[in-house]
Amino acid sequence: MKTNKMIISWSWREIWSGQLWPVMVALTLIIACVVALSTLALRVEKVMTNQGRDLLAADLVLRSSNPIPELLVEKAQDAGLTISSQSRFQTMAFSDEKLQLVTVKSVESSYPLRGSLTLRDANQSAKNQVKAGELWLSPRLFSILESKVGDIIAIGDAELPITGVIEEEPELAYNPFNSIPNVFIHSSDLDKTGAIQIGSRVRYRLFINGDPTSLAAFQESYELQPGESWVDQNRESRAVRLMDKAKQYLSLTILMVILMAAVTLILTCLHYVRNRSETVSMLKSMGSSRAWLRTWLTTQVLIMFISAFVVGSTLGLLLEYLLRVPLADILPQELPNVGVQPFLFALGVALCIGLPALLIPLTRLLDAPAINVIQKQSVTYSKTSWWLLLLPFTALVVFYGGNKLVWMVLIGLLVLFVVLAGLSYGFLQLLSKLKWGAAFSLALSRISRSPKNSMMQLAALSGSLMLVALIWLVKSDLLGDWQQTLAPDAPNVFSINISPEQQQNYLQELDKSGLPHSDAFAIIRGRITKIKGQETNELAAYQDPEVRILKREVNFTWMDQLPIYNEVVAGDWTGEKTVSVEQEVAEELGLQIGDTMTFEVNSQPFTATVNSLRAVEWQSLKPNFVFIFSKDAVANLPSTWMVSFRAEEDQTPLVNELARAYPTVTLLDLRTMATKVQSLLRQISWSLTGLAALGVVAGILLIFTLLRLSLSERKREITLYRTLGASKKRISHTLWAEYGLLALSGGFVAAIAAEVILSALMIWGFELSPQWHPSMFIVLPVLAMIVVFVSLRSVIKSLMKPLR
Amino acid sequence: MSQSIINVENITKSVISNDNELSILKGISFNINEGESVAIMGTSGAGKSTMMSLLAGLDLPSSGSISLLGSIISDMDDEQRAKMRSESIGFVFQNFLLIPSLNALQNVTLPMLLRGNEDQEDNERKAKKLLAEVGLSGRETHLPTQLSGGEQQRVALARAFVTQPKVLFADEPTGNLDQKTAKTIVELLFAMNKEQGTTLVLVTHDPELAKRCQRTLIMNAGQCQESA
Ligand SMILES: Nc1ncnc2c1ncn2[C@@H]1O[C@H](COP(=O)(O)OP(=O)(O)OP(=O)(O)O)[C@@H](O)[C@H]1O
Ligand SMILES: [Mg+2]
């Protein structure tokens, strides 16, 4: 018992003084990453599956931008299907004091057909259907509107007392940017709100339940009209796709962290074995049995695994929390329990990587012969433990065998590292063309004498620096882009859904209040039906899932002059019955100047000729349109109006007054949206910082390990130089020059690589315009040199100790 | 007549190096009795270290037989020889070979641990006593890096004697030390050898040290002769 204690405390010290601790840190990182990612993934997955049908609120849903035809409803009833219909729209809700944009869902008492709706009224009793005259608010609204149950709330023109709170509802929207709270009213109260008028944006849903065969038959027999689509469980929601994408980005970063940790692990173990083979020989000469040595090494391995597991799991849960913060709005309050699965999984991954990395070198250590204490001998090591290598590979094949992405990423990473190594090496060769002092020339020749070693160091150095830079830059670019859109004098409130009769008065009202505003734009909702005389659904572009504009309703407007903030890239704003098209959409649809297009508004077709193409900056938050018509083309069509204006903080009462005077006009207040977006971005940036921290630790640990190992391996060579009489100064200058140059070129190449990958990410991943970061070309090499300096200072110092 | 503890009969040792068979020891026989102190001398490359590793059972001869404490070492497997070493043999090396992560006291208790002496308190008491004998009381908790070369070799001596081995092998125990330090180490070595009655086999280039031994074997080109 006491012996065991001694072995444990010895092992603990062996781990720290024997430089095995990077193994422990690497294992901790691996476990933390896997725990975090798999906990999060499991949670989200559970939420999604728990809510599969609940999410739809029925077995099958017909979604439409037009009212559901009565005929269809009858047909469904004849087929023995249960139905329920819903219309939803956005409008303003007013209490005595406050106002808020809300999503109104007007439902029948039969809603929902699937999933649960829990409403709690003043008596705390739970209801699960909405009745005529009732008004239910989502919990947030009570504080926003400073109201309580029983208070009167105006929804558009209708005034209703609050019946109670929505505790649980189906059809949760998984959209982090959708911060608009819900209210439920009964469909019989819909007309009173006055919010529905021609041209206002209302979406309709027909919920259908029934046995699968009649459902399928019904779906089969109905021909979808423009603007209609089916939604069933099999169709992935946008939210699920969004989550999948997020998961992929996360996995990529984490995969990099794991790879770096794994390399650290292997290198450290190899070094440990080289350092400790003498100790093992000595223990053997003193008569320790193999069994004893095995216990000794196993204790070390166990200590490392257990500590890494405990610390890593804790860190992992913390990281999971950080990653989850931005999702707070879309995940339910009560998160599903994930149990021990993530921990087992993390342990599995750690074992798959750790066992071969640790046991192969350590069993070789057991082979160190006793005679080595007296005479150094070359040893043939047994290869019996090489089978352990099968562990990570079988695991990869079993779990990801069919997943091309994983393999592509792995291969991509390998290629990336090779490219990075090559580039930095090339850069060094360039440097060597220049005239340098003696120390630098010596250092450069030394680097090119062992290209394999140098390349590996360079790859690790630039790879981890690049990763660190990338995570950091993505974060700051995303934040910066949003800050830019909130320019100081840009309009920050949009009024939409203004009826033609209200338009003149509304503008006068704005002028009177002294709120600087844009011109009013007509909003006409319609769709494209033909291009150059050909039906849109016969076009090739119609089949392209990326081209959505042919399948939905679009906001049209007319203008006398094109807005000055849109650059005309082709054609001229002239001619009669013409339309100007945004250039990217024009490209998608293959439109050219002079092409004719046919549109339909309220079943009224009309034709216009393309006269110009415009470049539009969508994220500028100025009123922008894909199609701008000449007045003669659309002026007679039914429209609503929109105007944007700028309100400062102290003008909020004016805005509220305006909203009350025109209750059916919808106000999109970007000021509240912007704070929402900013807080979301802040949360995301916290998550990214958490991830970045892991990446930085893994990267620096790897660089640190590599550098220290490469130096201590050269201990003998350096001692030899010193015995031969090279001055301490000369040697330390050469060493610093060598590693300084490595850092310089590694940092420089990391900056190039980070810029390239970042631009690609910004263009294709986030659809933003890329920026250059010249400062990176200084920051990264300097950072690299600092890391080099910190990791090597003590080693070089100890190498320079007086010879004995 | 005292008992034979090491008996060497016509041993040879050859190794394959660069596809050539290199004969290091070429038929050597001698006997060492219990309690004797024997110095092995000879020019560099004469085969002294090779000889010693065979005597201690760290390696096996190519032919001939060595009996150590009454057993033929070629007849034992690795584990049996290890067991025998832990029970009856001590070593002192030229480069001390202390465990860097263990302090002086723990380095000394280590052989008892390997032997299976579980009573740590007893082990530590014995180790402290030995450390005091080599003049290192008060330095028990120091790590090898905190000790000078001579002090490290003293710890190594304490470690070698703590199990009261029957035979102690030392390969150039003073080779890495300056003369003055070497002298104190030699004094300690012989004092403890005398106290415990240990058989001593030591390889040395130092004639002074050899003179302190009862017998000297001279090795030359794989042959061995008793010196007069
Ligand atoms: N494994 C081996 N492979 C090849 N040659 C070896 C091997 N072991 C020993 N030798 C050679 O055998 C000879 C004797 O070596 P050994 O180490 O026994 O000499 P030594 O007498 O201890 O010398 P020194 O006084 O320098 O320590 C040397 O020439 C050495 O090169
Ligand atoms: Mg020798």
Side-chain angles (χ1 to χ4, degrees):
Chain A
M1 196 58 227
K2 278 177 183 157
T3 333
N4 288 344
K5 224 169 99 189
M6 154 85 184
I7 289 184
I8 288 170
S9 76
W10 177 13
S11 299
W12 184 250
R13 247 170 300 139
E14 190 71 1
I15 288 165
W16 292 102
S17 67
Q19 308 283 321
L20 260 187
W21 61 267
V23 170
M24 208 154 74
V25 181
L27 281 175
T28 307
L29 282 175
I30 292 174
I31 289 173
C33 281
V34 178
V35 165
L37 191 67
S38 54
T39 309
L40 186 67
L42 264 176
R43 281 218 167 115
V44 170
E45 207 163 289
K46 275 199 171 166
V47 169
M48 299 278 179
T49 44
N50 280 355
Q51 297 187 342
R53 281 179 173 181
D54 297 17
L55 215 63
L56 293 179
D59 292 342
L60 179 68
V61 178
L62 177 69
R63 204 164 52 177
S64 174
S65 45
N66 304 312
I68 307 291
E70 199 53 41
L71 217 72
L72 180 65
V73 175
E74 278 168 20
K75 209 178 132 195
Q77 278 165 335
D78 290 346
L81 300 168
T82 318
I83 53 155
S84 176
S85 52
Q86 180 197 67
S87 22
R88 63 166 89 159
F89 55 93
Q90 287 170 359
T91 191
M92 304 304 290
F94 303 90
S95 65
D96 283 346
E97 300 296 326
K98 299 281 172 183
L99 67 162
Q100 168 67 34
L101 180 65
V102 296
T103 298
V104 178
K105 290 182 179 174
S106 137
V107 297
E108 299 177 336
S109 300
S110 53
Y111 175 87
L113 299 183
R114 289 265 183 247
S116 52
L117 174 71
T118 313
L119 307 163
R120 202 163 287 279
D121 66 12
N123 310 323
Q124 295 302 310
S125 58
K127 301 276 161 60
N128 34 38
Q129 51 178 234
V130 179
K131 298 212 181 77
E134 289 182 344
L135 169 68
W136 301 91
L137 307 188
S138 67
R140 279 197 290 152
L141 273 172
F142 285 87
S143 55
I144 298 173
L145 294 175
E146 293 177 3
S147 300
K148 53 188 193 306
V149 174
D151 289 357
I152 303 287
I153 298 291
I155 304 283
D157 288 338
E159 296 203 332
L160 293 165
I162 304 175
T163 321
V165 59
I166 308 166
E167 272 193 354
E168 196 187 359
E169 61 177 310
E171 296 186 283
L172 267 180
Y174 282 96
N175 179 355
F177 292 96
N178 183 3
S179 59
I180 305 172
N182 284 338
V183 310
F184 277 113
I185 61 170
H186 193 261
S187 49
S188 56
D189 297 319
L190 179 61
D191 289 341
K192 283 192 235 163
T193 63
I196 298 190
Q197 41 184 301
I198 290 177
S200 59
R201 190 171 175 167
V202 184
R203 279 156 305 156
Y204 302 86
R205 270 159 204 247
L206 182 67
F207 299 105
I208 312 168
N209 265 19
D211 62 275
T213 38
S214 2
L215 273 179
F218 180 69
Q219 202 173 353
E220 191 69 23
S221 69
Y222 181 68
E223 194 187 331
L224 285 179
Q225 302 300 305
E228 291 179 347
S229 61
W230 293 111
V231 193
D232 60 28
Q233 272 163 265
N234 301 331
R235 203 170 119 174
E236 271 181 287
S237 72
R238 212 171 63 133
V240 174
R241 283 202 308 269
L242 193 103
M243 287 288 178
D244 272 350
K245 260 214 174 110
K247 222 161 72 183
Q248 274 178 12
Y249 282 124
L250 277 182
S251 324
L252 247 176
T253 321
I254 282 180
L255 190 65
M256 288 246 222
V257 172
I258 291 180
L259 270 181
M260 289 198 285
V263 177
T264 307
L265 207 101
I266 293 165
L267 288 174
T268 312
C269 282
L270 288 175
H271 180 68
Y272 177 77
V273 167
R274 237 172 282 139
N275 260 352
R276 282 297 178 269
S277 75
E278 198 172 53
T279 302
V280 169
S281 298
M282 199 272 295
L283 287 170
K284 275 190 174 174
S285 77
M286 292 197 328
S288 68
S289 62
R290 271 182 104 85
W292 193 91
L293 286 170
R294 222 172 267 137
T295 321
W296 181 61
L297 290 173
T298 314
T299 313
Q300 291 181 35
V301 171
L302 273 180
I303 288 179
M304 289 195 288
F305 265 105
I306 292 170
S307 326
F309 184 69
V310 171
V311 180
S313 303
T314 319
L315 279 180
L317 288 180
L318 221 78
L319 182 68
E320 193 258 346
Y321 176 77
L322 269 182
L323 293 176
R324 184 152 46 85
V325 168
L327 304 177
D329 275 0
I330 54 173
L331 290 176
Q333 300 256 293
E334 289 273 317
L335 283 173
N337 206 331
V338 288
V340 292
Q341 207 181 329
F343 300 97
L344 291 182
F345 188 49
L347 194 63
V349 173
L351 287 176
C352 272
I353 298 173
L355 282 187
L358 282 161
L359 293 190
I360 293 175
L362 290 182
T363 44
R364 284 175 60 169
L365 194 53
L366 280 182
D367 287 337
I371 191 174
N372 263 5
V373 289
I374 294 180
Q375 277 170 325
K376 287 273 168 295
Q377 306 248 313
S378 58
V379 203
T380 44
Y381 293 109
S382 68
K383 296 202 161 43
T384 44
S385 49
W386 283 88
W387 64 268
L388 282 167
L389 276 181
L390 285 175
L391 258 162
F393 288 106
T394 11
L396 255 181
V397 170
V398 168
F399 286 108
Y400 295 110
N403 191 336
K404 273 204 203 110
L405 188 79
V406 169
W407 293 102
M408 267 158 60
V409 165
L410 275 177
I411 293 170
L413 282 178
L414 267 177
V415 171
L416 178 74
F417 272 80
V418 170
V419 168
L420 285 178
L423 273 178
S424 344
Y425 195 68
F427 183 68
L428 270 178
Q429 296 298 321
L430 263 181
L431 280 183
S432 64
K433 296 269 185 301
L434 301 171
K435 281 266 170 273
W436 295 90
F440 280 93
S441 316
L442 256 176
L444 278 167
S445 75
R446 163 76 228 190
I447 291 170
S448 38
R449 234 183 310 142
S450 51
K452 217 171 71 188
N453 252 330
S454 312
M455 298 265 251
M456 218 172 103
Q457 281 164 22
L458 283 167
L461 193 65
S462 48
S464 36
L465 280 173
M466 182 205 73
L467 182 65
V468 170
L470 212 54
I471 296 176
W472 183 258
L473 290 178
V474 165
K475 182 184 124 182
S476 58
D477 274 13
L478 277 183
L479 280 175
D481 192 76
W482 270 92
Q483 252 123 30
Q484 257 181 18
T485 55
L486 307 167
D489 55 348
N492 53 16
V493 185
F494 284 70
S495 305
I496 57 178
N497 216 18
I498 306 170
S499 69
E501 304 78 52
Q502 292 172 322
Q503 188 228 345
Q504 285 303 323
N505 294 337
Y506 199 86
L507 291 182
Q508 278 165 17
E509 205 67 49
L510 280 176
D511 287 331
K512 248 197 314 200
S513 313
L515 296 165
H517 62 86
S518 69
D519 293 338
F521 299 101
I523 305 274
I524 304 156
R525 292 187 61 77
R527 60 183 56 258
I528 312 165
T529 53
K530 287 179 194 169
I531 292 176
K532 286 181 272 184
Q534 197 180 8
E535 296 281 344
T536 44
N537 55 10
E538 290 165 8
L539 293 171
Y542 192 83
Q543 304 307 327
D544 186 346
E546 294 289 311
V547 181
R548 285 182 288 265
I549 194 140
L550 294 177
K551 284 164 249 166
R552 62 177 175 92
E553 283 209 321
V554 192
N555 288 334
F556 302 144
T557 194
W558 59 263
M559 289 183 193
D560 293 325
Q561 285 301 319
L562 292 179
I564 43 166
Y565 48 83
N566 281 183
E567 187 198 344
V568 176
V569 291
D572 283 308
W573 182 241
T574 52
E576 283 175 8
K577 299 218 182 243
T578 50
V579 60
S580 172
V581 186
E582 192 266 335
Q583 61 170 351
E584 281 179 18
V585 168
E587 199 176 312
E588 277 179 2
L589 302 181
L591 288 171
Q592 248 125 41
I593 307 288
D595 286 351
T596 59
M597 297 182 73
T598 306
F599 303 87
E600 198 179 277
V601 171
N602 246 16
S603 315
Q604 262 179 270
F606 64 95
T607 303
T609 311
V610 178
N611 71 356
S612 59
L613 305 181
R614 286 166 298 123
V616 173
E617 269 183 53
W618 291 106
Q619 69 265 40
S620 71
L621 291 188
K622 297 199 173 89
N624 269 317
F625 299 87
V626 175
F627 297 104
I628 301 178
F629 293 86
S630 59
K631 187 172 179 180
D632 57 339
V634 292
N636 298 326
L637 294 169
S639 68
T640 59
W641 290 79
M642 168 192 129
V643 64
S644 66
F645 59 90
R646 167 102 197 157
E648 303 304 333
E649 206 48 55
D650 58 342
Q651 290 170 312
T652 310
L654 291 176
V655 178
N656 291 355
E657 230 168 81
L658 194 67
R660 269 169 209 287
Y662 296 90
T664 55
V665 172
T666 304
L667 285 186
L668 284 172
D669 194 334
L670 295 187
R671 292 173 302 170
T672 48
M673 239 158 86
T675 27
K676 172 77 190 167
V677 166
Q678 261 169 340
S679 82
L680 185 77
L681 282 174
R682 225 185 348 264
Q683 290 164 348
I684 290 178
S685 97
W686 269 108
S687 305
L688 285 178
T689 310
L691 263 188
L694 273 190
V696 171
V697 172
I700 289 185
L701 186 72
L702 177 55
I703 299 173
F704 177 85
T705 309
L706 262 172
L707 291 177
R708 287 181 78 105
L709 297 193
S710 95
L711 240 188
S712 59
E713 232 141 79
R714 288 168 51 188
K715 212 168 176 168
R716 203 163 277 161
E717 177 192 329
I718 290 163
T719 321
L720 180 72
Y721 283 148
R722 292 197 52 200
T723 333
L724 291 177
S727 78
K728 262 197 227 175
K729 217 168 138 191
R730 180 67 170 271
I731 293 175
S732 78
H733 280 182
T734 312
L735 283 175
W736 281 123
E738 181 180 337
Y739 288 102
L741 284 173
L742 282 180
L744 186 72
S745 66
F748 185 74
V749 168
I752 298 180
E755 287 285 26
V756 171
I757 295 180
L758 182 70
S759 306
L761 260 184
M762 283 296 149
I763 295 171
W764 290 296
F766 299 103
E767 305 192 343
L768 296 172
S769 47
Q771 301 166 305
W772 281 106
H773 310 81
S775 58
M776 278 299 129
F777 288 84
I778 297 168
V779 172
L780 286 187
V782 169
L783 182 69
M785 292 210 234
I786 292 174
V787 173
V788 163
F789 181 75
V790 171
S791 2
L792 295 188
R793 204 177 40 150
S794 66
V795 185
I796 290 191
K797 231 183 186 166
S798 80
L799 283 175
M800 293 304 138
K801 271 200 198 129
L803 291 167
R804 228 205 280 278
Chain B
M1 173 87 194
S2 42
Q3 202 141 16
S4 159
I5 197 159
I6 299 173
N7 192 272
V8 177
E9 254 169 62
N10 199 24
I11 55 163
T12 66
K13 177 73 183 174
S14 41
V15 292
I16 308 286
S17 116
N18 303 333
D19 285 338
N20 291 322
E21 188 161 328
L22 180 70
S23 176
I24 306 172
L25 302 179
K26 302 168 182 163
I28 291 176
S29 307
F30 59 81
N31 182 63
I32 296 175
N33 284 336
E34 208 175 322
E36 273 186 323
S37 54
V38 181
I40 301 177
M41 293 191 73
T43 51
S44 187
K48 306 183 292 293
S49 296
T50 310
M51 178 74 177
M52 186 152 117
S53 56
L54 293 179
L55 295 183
L58 297 176
D59 201 1
L60 293 175
S62 304
S63 70
S65 86
I66 298 174
S67 106
L68 178 63
L69 296 156
S71 329
I72 308 291
I73 58 165
S74 323
D75 294 349
M76 295 189 275
D77 65 15
D78 251 8
E79 291 289 287
Q80 287 170 319
R81 278 182 281 141
K83 187 160 186 285
M84 175 162 177
R85 281 198 300 273
S86 79
E87 281 166 359
S88 333
I89 287 174
F91 282 102
V92 178
F93 307 104
Q94 181 174 359
N95 46 357
F96 327 136
L97 288 182
L98 299 179
I99 307 254
S101 54
L102 293 183
N103 64 29
L105 186 71
Q106 289 161 332
N107 262 294
V108 179
T109 54
L110 188 60
M112 294 183 280
L113 213 66
L114 295 179
R115 249 183 172 188
N117 292 6
E118 301 272 303
D119 186 351
Q120 192 65 11
E121 253 166 63
D122 184 51
N123 289 350
E124 284 187 11
R125 203 175 29 86
K126 283 185 188 155
K128 270 188 187 143
K129 184 168 158 274
L130 261 290
L131 278 173
E133 271 181 48
V134 297
L136 286 178
S137 37
R139 311 287 302 266
E140 286 91 348
T141 57
H142 287 205
L143 291 172
T145 46
Q146 296 167 304
L147 298 170
S148 74
E151 285 162 349
Q152 286 185 49
Q153 195 61 308
R154 284 197 248 175
V155 176
L157 278 182
R159 180 180 64 185
F161 281 105
V162 77
T163 51
Q164 303 188 308
K166 295 218 165 59
V167 189
L168 184 94
F169 292 100
D171 192 359
E172 304 187 34
T174 56
N176 272 2
L177 302 171
D178 65 73
Q179 267 190 335
K180 202 168 148 252
T181 318
K183 207 161 142 39
T184 43
I185 293 293
V186 170
E187 292 308 325
L188 277 170
L189 181 62
F190 280 98
M192 292 167 91
N193 163 47
K194 203 162 163 194
E195 185 190 314
Q196 295 193 3
T198 317
T199 309
L200 190 63
V201 178
L202 56 87
V203 168
T204 184
H205 286 287
D206 179 5
E208 292 297 313
L209 181 51
K211 261 190 222 154
R212 303 281 303 258
C213 298
Q214 294 162 349
R215 291 167 60 194
T216 303
L217 298 173
I218 309 273
M219 291 199 63
N220 187 18
Q223 308 283 354
C224 181
Q225 272 180 336
E226 187 94 25
S227 137

